C-alpha cells in the first residue's frame, strides 16, 4: 500500500509520547528506534504521521542530530519509516504487518459452539413484537400511496426530531432524513461532501466500517490518536489546521471501541475548532442511548456548532435488524441528501419505519431495561477479566457496549487467531486502526449473557497463554529497549 503523510506530530508531542525513554540515562539510537516502533505498533503514532524534522526532534529530545538520523535510518531499514526529499519522513508499517484484515469482520459461522465477541450487537427487545402488531394496523393506510418516501415517513421523522428537542437541540422533522442505518447515513454524507483524494479526519481507533467507507471512496483517512482518558483536543485541533480535512468523522458519545464520552467543555472546544477551520464533522451518535452513568448527558454536538451533521441509529438502542438510522442536519442539507440518496437507494422500507415509530413511543421503557441489563453484563465481563486475565488493563467504560483492553503486548491479531481455535471470536485492535496498528489492544463487547461472557473470557485466557508460550517470529513481538 502506498502511503503518503497525512497527520503530523509536533516534536513536543512526540517527546511526551516517548515518555520513559526520554528520561533514559544513556539514550541510544537503538533504544529510540525501539520506542518509536512501539508507538507505531500500538497506534499512538498512526502510520502516515509525518515526523518532525531531524534538528527539531534532536533539540526537543536533547540529543544529537546524528542520533536522530541513525534512529530514522534504522526504522527505514525495518520498514517503519519512509522518507522522501521535500516531504520529510513519516511512519508506516512494514509490508506484511498490516493486521486489520485479521479476524473480526462480518462473516457467518455455522459453529454453534463458537462464542462471538467480535460484534457489539444487542438482541432485539420484546417490545418489538407489540410494536410490529401496532405498525401492522397502521400499514393499510400507506397502501394508497406509491410507497417511495426518500425523506422517510413523516411520523417517524417527527418522533426522531422530538427526541433531539428533548435533548436540548430544537429540531423539526424537515431536518431529519431516515436512512438504512447509521452506516448508510455516513456513507451518504461522505459521497456528498468528499471527493477522491481528499482527507477525512478520524479518531484512532475508530469504527472499522467507517474506515471501509472512507477507503472505498478513495479518500484518505487522517488518523488522530485517542489518549488514555479520551480525546487530545490540542492534537485534534492541530491536525484540523495542518491537514485541512474535507470532513471529520467523530464518535463523541461512547466512542466505539473505547467507550469514552466527550464532556460539554470538550464539545464546546471541538465546536470552536471545527468553526475556526471551517471543517464539517459527521458526529456518529449510534451509541448515545447506551449511557451507563447517572450523570446529566452533555448536549448533542450540534448545540455547539452548526458544522455538525448528526448520524443516529436504531441498531444499538433497539435492534440492528430494523436497519434504520437517520441524519439530522439543516433543512437545506437534508434536501440535498434526498437528491444524493437516489444514486444509492430510493428510501427505507415503510413497514419497518412504522415499527420504529411505534417503538419510539416506548423508548424509555426499552432503554431502561437495556441499560440495567448492560450494566450487569459489563460487571460480569469485568469480573471475569480480573479473575482470568489479571494483567490485562482497561478502563471500565461509562457507556457503549464494549471495553477496550490493553493486553500488554502487540499480539492481538495472533491472539484472535488462537482464540478462534479455543472457541471464541474476538476483534483484534488492528480492526479499529486505519493502517493495521493498535496490536496491543482487543475490543471486548458485553452484549452476550453473563454466563457466556465468563466462558468466553476463560477461553480467551487459554488462547492468551498459548500465544505467550509460542511467540512467533513476527516483528510485532520486537522487544522494546
Ligand atoms: C459507531 C458506530 N457507527 C455505526 C454503526 C452501524 O450502525 P447501523 O447498524 O445503524 O448501520 C455501528 C455499529 O456497530 C457503530 O458502532
Amino acid at each position: 500500500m502506498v502511503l503518503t503523510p497525512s497527520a503530523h506530530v509536533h516534536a513536543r508531542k512526540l517527546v511526551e509520547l516517548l515518555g520513559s525513554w526520554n528520561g533514559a540515562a544513556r539514550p541510544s539510537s537503538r533504544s529510540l528506534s525501539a520506542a518509536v516502533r512501539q508507538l507505531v505498533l500500538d497506534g499512538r503514532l498512526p502510520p502516515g504521521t509525518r515526523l518532525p524534522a531531524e534538528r527539531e526532534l534532536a533539540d526537543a529530545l536533547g540529543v544529537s542530530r546524528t542520533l536522530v538520523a541513525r534512529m530514522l535510518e534504522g526504522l527505514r531499514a525495518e520498514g517503519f519509516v519512509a522518507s522522501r526529499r521535500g516531504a520529510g519522513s513519516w511512519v508506516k508499517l512494514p509490508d506484511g504487518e498490516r493486521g486489520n484484515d485479521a479476524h473480526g469482520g462480518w462473516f457467518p459461522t455455522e459453529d454453534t459452539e463458537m462464542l462471538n465477541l467480535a460484534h457489539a450487537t444487542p438482541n432485539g427487545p420484546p417490545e418489538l413484537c407489540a410494536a410490529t402488531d401496532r405498525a401492522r394496523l397502521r400499514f393499510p393506510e400507506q397502501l394508497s400511496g406509491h410507497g417511495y418516501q426518500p425523506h422517510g415517513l413523516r411520523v417517524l421523522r417527527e418522533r426522531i426530531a422530538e427526541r433531539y428537542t428533548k435533548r436540548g437541540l430544537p429540531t423539526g422533522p424537515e431536518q431529519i432524513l431516515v436512512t438504512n442505518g447509521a452506516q448508510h447515513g455516513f456513507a451518504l454524507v461522505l459521497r456528498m461532501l468528499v471527493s477522491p483524494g481528499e482527507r477525512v479526519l478520524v479518531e484512532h481507533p475508530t469504527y472499522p466500517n467507517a474506515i471501509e467507507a472512507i477507503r472505498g471512496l478513495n479518500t484518505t483517512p487522517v488518523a488522530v490518536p485517542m489518549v488514555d482518558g479520551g480525546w487530545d483536543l490540542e492534537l485534534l485541533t492541530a491536525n484540523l489546521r495542518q491537514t485541512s480535512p474535507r470532513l471529520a468523522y467523530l464518535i463523541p458519545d461512547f466512542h466505539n471501541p473505547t467507550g469514552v464520552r466527550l464532556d460539554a467543555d470538550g464539545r464546546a472546544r471541538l465546536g470552536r475548532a471545527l468553526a475556526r477551520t471551517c471543517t464539517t464533522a459527521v458526529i456518529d451518535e449510534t451509541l448515545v442511548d447506551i449511557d451507563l452513568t447517572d450523570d446529566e448527558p452533555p448536549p448533542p454536538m450540534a448545540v455547539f456548532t452548526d458544522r455538525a451533521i448528526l448520524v443516529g441509529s436504531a441498531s444499538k438502542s433497539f435492534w440492528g435488524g430494523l436497519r434504520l438510522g437517520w441524519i439530522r442536519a439543516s433543512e437545506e442539507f437534508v434536501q440535498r441528501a434526498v437528491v444524493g440518496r437516489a444514486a444509492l437507494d430510493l428510501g427505507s422500507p415503510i413497514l419497518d419505519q412504522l415499527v420504529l415509530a411505534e417503538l419510539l413511543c416506548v423508548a424509555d421503557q426499552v432503554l431502561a431495561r437495556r441499560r440495567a441489563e448492560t450494566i450487569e453484563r459489563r460487571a460480569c465481563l469485568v469480573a471475569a477479566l480480573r479473575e482470568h486475565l489479571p494483567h490485562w488493563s482497561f478502563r471500565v467504560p461509562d457507556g457503549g457496549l464494549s471495553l477496550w483492553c490493553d493486553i500488554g503486548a502487540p499480539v492481538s491479531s495472533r491472539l484472535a487467531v488462537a482464540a478462534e481455535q479455543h472457541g471464541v471470536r474476538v476483534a483484534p485492535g488492528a480492526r479499529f486502526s486505519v493502517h493495521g496498528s493498535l496490536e496491543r489492544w482487543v475490543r471486548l463487547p458485553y452484549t452476550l449473557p453473563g454466563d457466556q461472557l465468563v466462558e468466553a473470557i476463560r477461553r480467551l485466557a487459554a488462547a492468551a497463554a498459548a500465544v505467550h508460550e509460542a511467540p512467533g517470529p513476527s516483528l510485532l513481538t520486537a522487544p522494546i529497549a
Side-chain angles (χ1 to χ4, degrees):
M1 178 175 43
V2 181
L3 255 184
T4 48
S6 47
H8 297 235
V9 62
H10 279 302
R12 185 167 48 85
K13 184 72 197 176
L14 187 50
V15 171
E16 188 186 314
L17 288 170
L18 285 167
S20 58
W21 180 87
N22 196 30
R26 271 190 297 143
S28 69
S29 60
R30 256 188 92 225
S31 65
L32 182 57
S33 305
V36 172
R37 188 201 301 125
Q38 187 70 21
L39 291 176
V40 179
L41 285 172
D42 67 25
R44 280 174 290 170
L45 268 186
T49 303
R50 191 199 299 271
L51 293 169
E54 275 178 28
R55 181 181 300 284
E56 199 189 335
L57 184 56
D59 288 350
L61 286 167
V63 298
S64 71
R65 191 170 162 186
T66 317
L67 188 147
V68 171
R70 275 209 211 108
M71 173 273 286
L72 289 174
E73 211 176 282
L75 287 173
R76 253 191 310 270
E78 289 176 353
F80 279 94
V81 161
S83 308
R84 199 171 56 225
R85 197 180 291 277
S89 296
W90 60 94
V91 298
K92 64 189 269 289
L93 280 175
D95 295 340
E97 290 294 331
R98 186 171 168 271
N100 72 341
D101 293 333
H103 291 64
W106 284 101
F107 52 89
T109 174
E110 296 296 313
D111 184 354
T112 50
E113 297 295 305
M114 179 70 73
L115 289 170
N116 196 340
L117 292 186
H119 308 308
T121 43
N123 292 346
E127 288 85 350
L128 201 44
C129 293
T132 306
D133 288 343
R134 292 196 301 277
R136 206 167 47 81
L137 296 177
R138 303 196 56 178
F139 191 47
E141 66 201 53
Q142 296 294 327
L143 298 179
S144 56
H146 50 57
Y148 289 88
Q149 302 245 12
H151 289 81
L153 276 184
R154 174 96 192 170
V155 60
L156 178 57
R157 289 188 291 134
E158 277 169 1
R159 287 184 188 160
I160 293 168
E162 263 166 38
R163 281 160 62 83
Y164 280 114
T165 304
K166 263 200 203 153
R167 286 172 61 202
L169 177 64
T171 300
E174 62 290 343
Q175 289 178 269
I176 303 292
L177 174 76
V178 176
T179 63
N180 302 324
Q183 176 70 8
H184 175 224
F186 172 53
L188 177 57
V189 177
L190 198 60
R191 272 180 65 107
M192 288 171 62
L193 297 185
V194 189
S195 304
E198 290 186 317
R199 294 172 175 151
V200 180
L201 182 140
V202 296
E203 293 132 340
H204 196 243
T206 190
Y207 175 54
N209 292 328
I211 301 175
E212 292 307 317
I214 292 167
R215 283 222 185 93
L217 270 189
N218 290 326
T219 54
T220 309
V222 174
V224 179
M226 304 279 286
V227 287
D228 294 342
W231 291 261
D232 182 337
L233 289 173
E234 198 185 325
L235 184 64
L236 200 146
T237 306
N239 272 285
L240 285 174
R241 248 196 332 260
Q242 288 159 3
T243 67
S244 310
R246 185 70 187 84
L247 188 72
Y249 167 79
L250 302 168
I251 317 171
D253 294 282
F254 309 119
H255 172 261
N256 185 358
T258 63
V260 286
R261 174 164 66 180
L262 185 61
D263 64 17
D265 286 349
R267 285 168 198 242
R269 272 182 73 189
L270 176 59
R272 286 194 294 274
L274 292 169
R276 242 183 282 125
T277 54
C278 298
T279 313
T280 299
V282 168
I283 301 296
D284 186 335
E285 293 192 321
T286 294
L287 290 147
V288 69
D289 286 331
I290 316 298
D291 181 352
L292 308 180
T293 71
D294 293 321
D295 306 339
E296 181 67 23
M301 259 314 291
V303 165
F304 300 94
T305 170
D306 56 9
R307 294 214 154 255
I309 295 171
L310 308 183
V311 165
S313 171
S315 295
K316 305 301 160 105
S317 312
F318 305 108
W319 191 44
L322 283 168
R323 301 307 318 128
L324 286 173
W326 53 88
I327 292 171
R328 189 266 177 211
S330 67
E331 187 177 348
E332 182 264 328
F333 186 86
V334 166
Q335 287 302 353
R336 281 175 54 206
V338 167
V339 176
R341 145 175 232 171
L344 298 174
D345 73 342
L346 302 175
S348 301
I350 298 293
L351 185 56
D352 305 55
Q353 292 185 67
L354 285 172
V355 173
L356 180 57
E358 290 299 329
L359 208 48
L360 288 179
C361 297
V362 291
D364 288 351
Q365 177 187 325
V366 175
L367 290 172
R369 203 189 39 253
R370 173 138 294 164
R371 180 170 177 272
E373 182 184 87
T374 308
I375 288 175
E376 212 177 290
R377 291 179 177 185
R378 180 186 60 177
C380 284
L381 178 64
V382 166
L385 281 169
R386 290 194 174 136
E387 180 180 346
H388 296 290
L389 288 156
H391 54 291
W392 285 11
S393 56
F394 52 86
R395 201 183 140 274
V396 178
D398 289 337
L401 294 165
S402 56
L403 179 154
W404 186 235
C405 200
D406 179 347
I407 61 175
V411 293
S412 86
S413 291
R414 285 174 51 207
L415 175 71
V417 173
E420 195 89 7
Q421 282 149 16
H422 285 78
V424 58
R425 179 164 296 155
V426 291
R431 286 265 310 142
F432 303 84
S433 160
V434 165
H435 300 103
S437 55
L438 299 172
E439 277 287 343
R440 224 179 70 203
W441 277 272
V442 68
R443 184 189 72 166
L444 300 174
Y446 34 86
T447 43
L448 291 179
D451 56 339
Q452 291 184 31
L453 283 173
V454 172
E455 175 57 19
I457 297 307
R458 231 185 33 74
R459 294 182 190 181
L460 201 54
V467 169
H468 183 69
E469 279 156 24
S474 163
L475 277 169
L476 298 178
T477 57
I480 175 162

